[in-house]
Amino acid sequence: MASFIIEGGYPLSGEITPQGAKNEALQVICATLLTSEEVTIHNIPDIRDVNNLIQLLKDIGVKVTAGISKDSVHPGLSGTYTFQADTLNLDYLESDEFVQKCAQLRGSVLMIGPLLSRMGKAVITQPGGDKIGRRRLDTHFLGFEKLGAKFNRIEGRNVYEIAAKQLKGTYMLLDEASVTGTANIIMAAVFAKGTTTIYNAACEPYLQQLCHLLNQMGANISGIGSNLLTIEGVKSLHGATHTILPDMIEVGSFIGMAAMCGDGIRIKNVSVDNLGIIPDSFRRLGVKIKVEGDDLVIPKQRHYEIQSFIDGTIMTLADAPWPGLTPDLLSVLIVVATQARGSVLFHQKMFESRLFFVDKLIDMGAQIILCDPHRAVVVGHDRKITLRGGRMSSPDIRAGIALLIAAMSAKGTSRIDNIEQIDRGYEHIEDRLNALGAKITREVSGKR
């Protein structure tokens, strides 16, 4: 177990560059299973979840080569890996060891679609990940069944085998716009015979990136960027090269960090066009954000005032499928609101346990009313009362980074345990924040 020791109250300044997008990386890495040829991916983040997935691919026989990009478009870009899935170990795919590793990594669920599509079968169990409430997989499985796959429970192992000799294209209306569900079904459908139409598909930028990569590999996907996708089945895919977008969740986290304890911070190369409603959500809390080229500049925020709706009613921020506000940033927005002028209601619709971390903020002196598992009202301090340091534990990736931001802005010293959760989604975060002026020390097993 590891912990962060944070000395709060230090102003941060300088430049920071977001890592490659975690959620996109998990999708496109699994897409490499669809071809026996080499697929090169640039800008892969060095984080726990992605590294565990890469190791899982190595375990099943995928050849993985890490290096520095030497091509003319991305010279010197780190986070470059080449994958070649030409000799998969099918026996290992059915082993208890493989199933156990999948159960510990939620991103492993994205292997099901490619394996089912290319190999005709996959073994699955309930994957692990954040403890943020029920995250069902029905959308994935209903989509596979629509394509003609059959499920068989393997007695005594709490796993299911899903198999199909030949998937067949069909029309389907997803019960929810699940990002991983849509990605999985797309990867299963690329080899299906005929045409597959997916309505109510997720359409966030990372899913668009997956579709663009698959088309580069020889797939035939249209409707990209909309909630109606059409996939014409093909017989095979070939190699390709792909670059992962900057992580929009990390960009949002840095905006929140700059608002709370920044003395002028530039967030570089953010892919502004792919941030959607994220900058405006912070602006609704009064945070000033300048766009300069593809950078965001957040000046020192001496005060920031929460907007109200046109009729004067209290501002409400709620998560929604893309292009709505991502649920992954509500935790950071809540922390930012604690030092704003005014009040705001946060409505977390998609996960029933994600707001419980606010108890830690209340212990730090924040004025928050937790109405129920889905709604919280924040009454901002307007910087008249500083949060105080404390001891806390990171329940999930996004709450963990929110607590880290709160601790950096707080008076005194804080300790955050279970930071392995933060490591799952943020690359070398203490080194990057310390370079801006933070005072964060990693403590492992009682040693700093």
Side-chain angles (χ1 to χ4, degrees):
M1 295 290 289
S3 305
F4 280 147
I5 311 300
I6 306 104
E7 296 180 41
Y10 288 89
L12 310 184
S13 62
E15 298 180 347
I16 192 165
T17 302
Q19 66 191 29
K22 167 184 178 281
N23 292 337
E24 180 185 342
L26 297 175
Q27 294 176 31
V28 298
I29 288 172
C30 289
T32 66
L33 292 169
L34 287 165
T35 179
S36 62
E37 297 185 18
E38 290 187 350
V39 178
T40 299
I41 303 176
H42 301 300
N43 205 28
I44 292 179
D46 181 14
I47 55 177
R48 184 181 294 265
D49 272 11
V50 170
N51 292 338
N52 286 345
L53 180 63
I54 291 173
Q55 183 58 53
L56 196 57
L57 263 63
K58 290 180 179 178
D59 291 342
I60 66 174
V62 178
K63 301 180 181 69
V64 181
T65 306
I68 300 295
S69 171
K70 297 178 182 178
D71 66 42
S72 59
V73 180
H74 306 96
L77 186 65
S78 61
T80 293
Y81 286 79
T82 297
F83 302 84
Q84 186 170 15
D86 55 345
T87 53
L88 298 183
N89 185 345
L90 298 182
D91 292 334
Y92 184 76
L93 288 170
E94 298 183 6
S95 69
D96 289 337
E97 181 181 350
F98 174 72
V99 171
Q100 184 178 9
K101 288 184 177 182
C102 289
Q104 297 170 356
L105 175 64
R106 183 165 185 83
S108 65
V109 72
L110 288 161
M111 298 172 62
I112 301 172
L115 290 174
L116 175 64
S117 184
R118 184 178 169 201
M119 301 299 169
K121 65 179 179 179
V123 178
I124 55 175
T125 187
Q126 179 70 32
D130 289 327
K131 305 304 180 184
I132 55 176
R134 185 170 57 92
R135 302 177 75 179
R136 61 190 181 86
L137 300 177
D138 298 57
T139 303
H140 304 241
F141 302 152
L142 290 171
F144 297 149
E145 285 185 325
K146 284 277 190 179
L147 292 169
K150 302 294 183 183
F151 289 83
N152 178 45
R153 187 175 186 277
I154 301 177
E155 296 296 332
R157 295 182 62 196
N158 193 32
V159 298
Y160 288 82
E161 183 180 80
I162 177 171
K165 290 183 179 179
Q166 172 65 66
L167 296 175
K168 295 181 180 179
T170 186
Y171 169 86
M172 65 181 77
L173 173 61
L174 302 188
D175 61 332
E176 64 175 352
S178 164
V179 176
T180 54
T182 302
N184 236 341
I185 295 167
I186 289 170
M187 289 188 282
V190 291
F191 292 151
K193 186 177 181 180
T195 301
T196 301
T197 304
I198 307 173
Y199 197 24
N200 195 30
C203 56
E204 67 169 15
Y206 304 146
L207 197 72
Q208 297 175 39
Q209 287 281 95
L210 171 66
C211 291
H212 290 314
L213 169 60
L214 292 172
N215 279 350
Q216 281 191 66
M217 295 168 66
N220 187 353
I221 305 170
S222 59
I224 299 171
S226 75
N227 67 348
L228 181 62
L229 295 174
T230 302
I231 303 142
E232 300 288 344
V234 298
K235 292 185 178 180
S236 64
L237 297 181
H238 52 73
T241 299
H242 177 78
T243 300
I244 292 173
L245 287 174
D247 195 310
M248 71 170 80
I249 311 304
E250 190 169 72
V251 172
S253 302
F254 292 156
I255 294 172
M257 175 194 71
M260 286 287 284
C261 42
D263 197 20
I265 290 178
R266 178 181 292 269
I267 309 172
K268 296 183 64 64
N269 303 324
V270 301
S271 188
V272 171
D273 292 342
N274 288 296
L275 292 180
I277 202 173
I278 289 172
D280 282 342
S281 297
F282 283 94
R283 290 185 179 111
R284 285 190 164 192
L285 298 182
V287 177
K288 298 177 181 63
I289 303 173
K290 300 177 183 177
V291 178
E292 296 184 0
D294 208 27
D295 298 351
L296 297 182
V297 177
I298 295 86
K300 183 175 182 177
Q301 314 279 321
R302 289 182 172 83
H303 296 277
Y304 47 97
E305 184 171 358
I306 297 169
Q307 299 176 3
S308 59
F309 288 116
I310 293 175
D311 62 0
T313 54
I314 185 173
M315 174 59 60
T316 298
L317 291 177
D319 61 336
W322 185 270
L325 176 61
T326 170
D328 285 345
L329 279 176
L330 280 190
S331 302
V332 173
L333 286 160
I334 287 172
V335 170
V336 173
T338 65
Q339 291 301 318
R341 178 184 297 160
S343 301
V344 57
L345 169 65
F346 290 94
H347 193 169
Q348 167 64 267
K349 298 177 180 178
M350 298 174 69
F351 303 103
E352 60 265 5
S353 303
R354 214 166 194 175
L355 293 183
F356 290 152
F357 87 102
V358 303
D359 286 348
K360 307 297 189 299
L361 298 178
I362 293 171
D363 290 343
M364 298 175 76
Q367 291 185 308
I368 303 175
I369 303 167
L370 184 61
C371 306
D372 54 45
H374 291 277
R375 295 177 300 159
V377 175
V378 181
V379 181
H381 287 314
D382 192 21
R383 298 200 186 275
K384 294 176 182 176
I385 302 174
T386 304
L387 297 179
R388 55 181 176 268
R391 181 163 185 170
M392 58 207 88
S393 180
S394 173
D396 63 75
I397 301 175
R398 309 309 175 186
I401 199 68
L403 292 173
L404 180 59
I405 293 169
M408 287 191 294
S409 73
K411 183 179 181 179
T413 301
S414 298
R415 180 188 182 97
I416 302 177
D417 298 321
N418 194 33
I419 60 170
E420 288 83 1
Q421 287 284 0
I422 301 174
D423 290 338
R424 288 179 48 220
Y426 292 86
E427 178 178 301
H428 311 301
I429 190 64
E430 73 271 29
D431 295 335
R432 297 160 73 202
L433 297 185
N434 285 342
L436 297 176
K439 301 294 182 182
I440 305 170
T441 303
R442 178 180 293 259
E443 185 178 278
V444 182
S445 300
K447 296 182 180 180
R448 296 192 181 185

